[in-house]
Amino acid sequence: MTDTTPTPAPLPAPAPARAQSPLLRIARNFAEDRLAVLGLLLFLAVVVLAFAAPWIAPQNPYDLAQLDIMDGGLPPGEASFSGMTYWLGTDQQGRDMLSAILYGLRISLVVALVSLACAITIGVVAGMAAAWFGGRVDSLIMRVVDLQLSFPSILVALILLALFGRGVDKVIIALVIVQWAYYARTVRSSAIVERRKDYIEAARCLALSHRRIMFRHLLPNCVPPLIVVATVQIAQAIALEATLSFLGVGVPITEPSLGLLIANGYDYLLSGRYWVSVFPGIALLITIVAINLVGDRLRDIFNPRLQK
Amino acid sequence: MQMNLRRLAGAVLISSTALASAAAAQELRVGLASEPTSMDPQFHNLATNTQVRLNIFESLIEQDPLQNLEPSLATEWEALDDTTWRFRLREGVAFHDGTPFTARDVIYSVCRIPLVENSPSSFSIYTQSISGMEAEDDHTVIITTNGPNPLLPVESSTWAIMSADASGAEAEVTFADGTCEGLGEVPQQQAFNSPELVIGTGPYKLQESTRGAQIVLTRNDDYWGEAPDWETIRLRPITSAGPRVAALLSGDVDIIESPPIQDLPRLEREGFSVVDTLSNRVIYIALHQEGPHSGITGTDGENPLLDARVREAISLSINRDAIVERIMSGYATSAGELLPPPMFGTSGRPADPYDPDRAKELLAEAGYADGFGLVLGTPNDRYINDEQVAQAVAQMLNRVGIRVTVDAATASQFFSRRNNQEYPAFLAGWGASSGEMSSPLKSLVASFDPDAGMGVTNAGRYSNAEMDELLQKAMVTIDDEERSQLLQQAETIVLDEHGIVPLHYERSAWAMSPKISYEPRVDQYTLAYAVRNAEAD
């Protein structure tokens, strides 16, 4: 009861003063690498394009009534009967590839971001609990994590989707299940280091609740490695979703994501309709490379050994 | 002089390469799309198995590429009366182990069919009408049926004739009043993993069968019929379409079955020959016609598919020619019936026209001017471009206001879900192995009665008593002309009320090196022994 009143006051006060400088330092540090900046810009561009898809795409590729199979398999730059130009060509259903890629990016990003958020939440809670309570709780949680990590994630996801069936929500659930363990392990290892430090001892001496120390004091100091893992994992999640859709267990066929678009075109590669596969492939490549560039730079910044 | 020498050297060179290729040409390598589930010729009624077994085991009667009946181990057959048939057997035929082929082997083979355990799809549906068999002499068999069965000769083309001796039968094998005696211990499917038991009368002997890798056949030099062109045949299962095409392109195999249709233009450009023919397989859409269904939305629980006008609207809103041209690249033919004309029992009915305006009118008349929501189930790896066709149908139905969502699943999942009636509408295909109309009518649209073997694939539960009656009558009519008329009438009833919506007949294709030739078959079988060496001719 007594400790609820003083805390809101001191926390906001030091936060701006202290947070300002490291953030600025990170930003400056980040900007030193031109490639990373380019990656960030590319990623932001992809995000904006993807989320603005309903307004900028020439066609809604998920509305079957807007498609016409008579327009199927047109090469890039060809015009349809209705006068619309397909800049990146169409697939065999008559879907405008440009629109399909924009919508597909949106699905890929939403799936990756939502599953990232859920996986981080679960992973952080589990990792913190393991580090803080130690002993049996730690062993139990970490054995589950080990078990999880010992299987290839694609295998686990395939099995899960074979059980659940197709659907965006199911893909997200599968991705959360295969990813939370990475975060749990990362958070645990940094939390174990931090919990022996003096400020935690001080917090304990104040008889603060476990939850409070864990999430208010311990967690903020475990964030840097988490950010690095998250950027790597989001690229992983996008690639994994694409793989699952490519294998035909991911999103429904009438609402293709990038992976499914590539799979649709894969059958036509030998017969010369390269555009159905290649353009979604390039979009996927750009997205993942951009995220990885950003992630690499962040890792360098947060790695004390590489610090100048 | 020098000129002559050079020429001579050139000629030697040419003739030596010709010799080398002639030696290599003695072997045929076939890329199959799927692998037989067993080498037991009577284990599994599956096209994949049958097309391999026909190299090794023959039947009394064989089907030619157009599914006409031709003499094989039987030279003649006739119906003595409504329930008695006489088959005269070919003389001088020997099994691979040298023992002569006699009536005893025929009786043994038919007797064994129902005794094969754990068969995923038994051949016993083709022997269940037989109540007894009798060897009049070594080369004459009298078969009695428990009712008139005009299809007995067709059905006999599915019985693989095995050697009674090699299978361990007793000296006397009898089949009277529905019971067989003298069979000894019947070998089961597992026993056929070793080539010793795989003893038939066919043009090839089994040399080796390695699961997942290859099946090697060697020529039976004592074969009674025309000697095939190849000394050895190597059958390689390459289940993915891409690698199968790649294997042909790189010369690893000489002929492949079901090449992806989108790759055919390229294969032809690179000098491979492609042959194709109309198959006996119709791709259709079945509609749920038994009470409400949870997959239909926006109708307050009503099932609009019970209304014949709605079903007609669905048929009229599908642009079959566009599907054939765009999705099937021309390797299909728009279907108006359940079996392509001029096969037995077809009436030559044209495909429904594409008329979306009339479809909208019909929907409005039926009280569904605003359409309704419908789930369309489809397999995604069973028929040629099945998932793409379903999407195209969904697209077309959406245009007349029926909001279709496609639910695609892999074949094994799809078929079990379909049989549980989980789809209010589904896309599937039916290949008539007997090559006549009774096959699709019996399975797809006859009233559901699995115990009687009727409507076993009728998951939409279409039912019409008049049609059932005509079909039953046709099935016991021996006279071909009359039977054909009855089947046409029965089919017309179904199609007039759009109880099922035919989309197209698949065309099946084969791609091969220009050095060989193959006559395309309606039943889609790839019969390795029938592949010809074009160079030898």
Side-chain angles (χ1 to χ4, degrees):
Chain A
M1 257 323 213
T2 41
D3 49 57
T4 40
T5 32
T7 37
L11 253 183
R18 256 197 291 146
Q20 205 69 314
S21 58
L23 263 185
L24 258 180
R25 182 175 57 82
I26 290 169
R28 250 191 238 121
N29 219 332
F30 188 88
E32 273 174 31
D33 187 346
R34 292 257 181 88
L35 214 52
V37 175
L38 178 72
L40 186 65
L41 289 178
L42 268 178
F43 179 64
L44 289 178
V46 165
V47 171
V48 169
L49 281 175
F51 287 94
W55 296 278
I56 57 172
Q59 185 192 60
N60 177 358
Y62 298 163
D63 180 4
L64 289 172
Q66 284 191 28
L67 309 181
D68 189 339
I69 60 165
M70 293 318 284
D71 285 344
L74 293 179
E78 197 97 342
S80 74
F81 295 128
S82 55
M84 186 177 125
T85 308
Y86 297 115
W87 292 111
L88 297 184
T90 59
D91 69 3
Q92 51 278 28
Q93 293 292 326
R95 241 181 238 118
D96 174 34
M97 288 313 293
L98 179 62
S99 312
I101 289 171
L102 292 174
Y103 274 79
L105 266 178
R106 197 159 75 129
I107 291 202
S108 299
L109 286 176
V110 165
V111 167
L113 291 173
V114 173
S115 66
L116 176 85
C118 298
I120 284 193
T121 313
I122 297 173
V124 162
V125 171
M128 276 291 167
W132 185 253
F133 296 109
R136 274 195 198 163
V137 180
D138 186 22
S139 314
L140 180 73
I141 294 179
M142 292 327 284
R143 289 305 79 75
V144 175
V145 166
D146 287 343
L147 187 73
Q148 173 95 66
L149 293 181
S150 62
F151 288 104
S153 46
I154 181 73
L155 183 71
V156 177
L158 264 179
I159 293 171
L160 290 170
L161 285 172
L163 294 176
F164 299 157
R166 281 179 172 213
V168 173
D169 47 341
K170 286 150 191 156
V171 175
I172 292 177
I173 295 175
L175 288 185
V176 170
I177 293 176
V178 299
Q179 288 194 314
W180 71 274
Y182 291 97
Y183 302 110
R185 181 179 263 188
T186 311
V187 167
R188 174 181 172 269
S189 56
S190 45
I192 282 181
V193 175
E194 292 291 328
R195 66 180 271 221
R196 305 225 168 84
K197 292 196 175 163
D198 291 344
Y199 70 95
I200 298 293
E201 276 309 310
R204 280 203 206 201
C205 291
L206 288 172
L208 299 182
S209 73
H210 285 310
R211 217 177 69 192
R212 227 179 113 123
I213 303 177
M214 276 160 69
F215 293 103
R216 281 282 169 81
H217 299 267
L218 200 49
L219 180 59
N221 291 294
C222 303
V223 164
L226 204 57
I227 293 178
V228 174
V229 174
T231 42
V232 175
Q233 283 297 318
I234 194 167
Q236 281 262 359
I238 292 176
L240 193 57
E241 183 276 324
T243 312
L244 291 169
S245 297
F246 181 84
L247 294 174
V249 292
V251 298
I253 45 162
T254 43
E255 296 183 8
S257 67
L258 290 178
L260 195 54
L261 285 173
I262 297 173
N264 280 343
Y266 177 70
D267 291 342
Y268 293 84
L269 268 183
L270 275 176
S271 52
R273 280 193 210 160
Y274 65 90
W275 59 90
V276 188
S277 248
V278 167
F279 291 128
I282 292 174
L284 185 66
L285 183 79
I286 291 176
T287 313
I288 291 178
V289 166
I291 296 174
N292 278 337
L293 286 175
V294 174
D296 277 358
R297 186 65 195 148
L298 285 176
R299 193 190 59 205
D300 291 350
I301 293 171
F302 289 124
N303 188 342
R305 270 182 237 155
L306 295 176
Q307 209 107 81
K308 287 175 230 163
Chain B
M1 189 61 196
Q2 226 181 353
M3 190 72 164
N4 277 346
L5 260 179
R6 225 182 259 167
R7 248 188 221 162
L8 191 69
V12 168
L13 205 71
I14 289 167
S15 62
S16 64
T17 51
L19 271 175
S21 69
Q26 288 301 303
E27 178 174 285
L28 176 72
R29 296 153 306 164
V30 183
L32 296 178
S34 49
E35 187 177 18
T37 53
S38 168
M39 291 311 291
D40 179 346
Q42 300 183 329
F43 176 63
H44 193 174
N45 179 13
L46 187 72
T48 316
N49 289 25
T50 303
Q51 65 179 11
V52 173
R53 80 95 174 152
L54 280 168
N55 290 298
I56 307 169
F57 294 93
E58 294 177 289
S59 297
L60 293 180
I61 297 173
E62 65 180 7
Q63 296 189 358
D64 74 358
L66 295 172
Q67 286 194 302
N68 298 315
L69 299 183
E70 295 285 341
S72 180
L73 289 178
T75 50
E76 325 163 22
W77 55 95
E78 61 179 323
L80 299 177
D81 57 53
D82 268 4
T83 58
T84 316
W85 292 78
R86 182 170 62 205
F87 286 79
R88 293 215 187 271
L89 306 184
R90 193 176 293 278
E91 299 191 24
V93 175
F95 283 98
H96 296 157
D97 59 1
T99 55
F101 157 72
T102 63
R104 171 168 161 259
D105 300 302
V106 177
I107 299 175
Y108 178 83
S109 300
V110 174
C111 280
R112 179 176 179 266
I113 285 173
L115 301 177
V116 177
E117 289 164 10
N118 304 323
S119 168
S121 169
S122 174
F123 284 101
S124 59
I125 52 165
Y126 300 122
T127 59
Q128 65 192 12
S129 70
I130 301 176
S131 59
M133 292 174 83
E134 194 190 330
E136 208 171 67
D137 57 54
D138 263 2
H139 293 97
T140 310
V141 178
I142 305 288
I143 300 180
T144 44
T145 57
N146 43 28
N149 180 12
L151 293 182
L152 191 75
V154 180
E155 291 179 349
S156 80
S157 69
T158 66
W159 313 332
I161 302 298
M162 308 171 54
S163 161
D165 283 330
S167 309
E170 292 165 21
E172 185 126 358
V173 182
T174 59
F175 184 3
D177 303 324
T179 39
C180 293
E181 273 166 38
L183 298 183
E185 185 159 347
V186 172
Q188 289 302 326
Q189 182 256 126
Q190 298 81 350
F192 288 79
N193 291 334
S194 84
E196 284 89 71
L197 208 53
V198 186
I199 303 291
T201 57
Y204 282 91
K205 304 177 190 179
L206 178 68
Q207 184 190 335
E208 178 204 327
S209 155
T210 315
R211 190 129 195 90
Q214 61 175 4
I215 295 170
V216 184
L217 306 173
T218 49
R219 184 156 61 192
N220 170 15
D221 290 321
D222 301 323
Y223 183 54
W224 60 267
E226 190 193 344
D229 286 353
W230 315 97
E231 217 151 78
T232 50
I233 291 178
R234 235 169 253 280
L235 304 171
R236 288 182 50 197
I238 310 174
T239 47
S240 312
R244 198 159 60 243
V245 173
L248 179 68
L249 287 171
S250 66
D252 284 346
V253 296
D254 303 309
I255 178 170
I256 59 172
E257 61 179 357
S258 48
I261 47 182
Q262 55 272 16
D263 292 342
L264 294 179
R266 173 173 177 203
L267 285 167
E268 278 180 324
R269 259 202 321 277
E270 302 214 352
F272 290 89
S273 32
V274 173
V275 295
D276 74 290
T277 185
L278 203 59
S279 75
N280 60 17
R281 176 174 285 146
V282 64
I283 301 297
Y284 63 88
I285 288 179
L287 304 167
H288 186 80
Q289 293 162 59
E290 187 190 46
H293 195 289
S294 59
I296 301 171
T297 49
T299 58
D300 300 323
E302 300 268 305
N303 179 2
L305 303 176
L306 290 170
D307 190 325
R309 286 170 298 188
V310 174
R311 300 196 299 262
E312 184 178 358
I314 288 176
S315 184
L316 291 178
S317 60
I318 298 171
N319 186 349
R320 293 173 175 79
D321 292 339
I323 292 179
V324 167
E325 187 191 327
R326 291 285 154 168
I327 310 277
M328 305 297 290
S329 312
Y331 282 93
T333 303
S334 299
E337 294 189 72
L338 299 176
L339 193 66
M343 291 181 84
F344 191 88
T346 54
S347 60
R349 183 187 177 104
D352 276 351
Y354 172 53
D355 191 348
D357 298 326
R358 175 80 188 121
K360 279 183 202 156
E361 277 173 37
L362 282 166
L363 281 176
E365 271 176 40
Y368 298 101
D370 297 331
F372 52 91
L374 182 68
V375 174
L376 175 67
T378 176
N380 58 13
D381 52 7
R382 178 67 188 87
Y383 310 107
I384 302 174
N385 293 346
D386 39 16
E387 188 181 56
Q388 300 290 344
V389 174
Q391 279 189 72
V393 169
Q395 202 182 97
M396 292 160 181
L397 293 184
N398 268 289
R399 287 180 178 230
V400 298
I402 304 175
R403 295 175 296 281
V404 175
T405 45
V406 176
D407 184 350
T410 185
S412 54
Q413 259 184 42
F414 168 80
F415 287 116
S416 70
R417 287 178 63 190
R418 176 194 68 180
N419 294 346
N420 289 337
Q421 293 185 282
E422 281 180 41
Y423 306 112
F426 63 85
L427 177 143
W430 183 262
S433 55
S434 66
E436 65 152 54
M437 184 57 76
S438 60
S439 161
L441 289 181
K442 213 170 132 177
S443 294
L444 301 182
V445 287
S447 299
F448 182 67
D449 183 2
D451 294 334
M454 301 301 279
V456 282
T457 314
N458 183 1
R461 302 288 191 265
Y462 167 82
S463 174
N464 181 313
E466 195 189 341
M467 179 338 266
D468 287 341
E469 204 174 302
L470 281 165
L471 178 59
Q472 291 291 359
K473 205 166 147 201
M475 282 163 57
V476 295
T477 304
I478 303 275
D479 183 73
D480 276 352
E481 186 52 40
E482 202 185 329
R483 187 162 88 252
S484 172
Q485 286 301 328
L486 287 167
L487 290 172
Q488 289 181 35
Q489 286 168 22
E491 191 208 24
T492 305
I493 291 176
V494 180
L495 296 175
D496 278 350
E497 32 178 38
H498 297 90
I500 190 164
V501 180
L503 293 181
H504 56 259
Y505 312 115
E506 284 185 349
R507 295 187 76 88
S508 22
W510 288 264
M512 65 203 85
S513 116
K515 295 191 194 103
I516 62 180
S517 63
Y518 185 64
E519 185 179 352
R521 293 183 62 92
V522 176
D523 53 22
Q524 301 186 313
Y525 291 161
T526 306
L527 297 183
Y529 71 83
V531 177
R532 294 279 164 242
N533 187 346
E535 279 181 341
D537 296 340

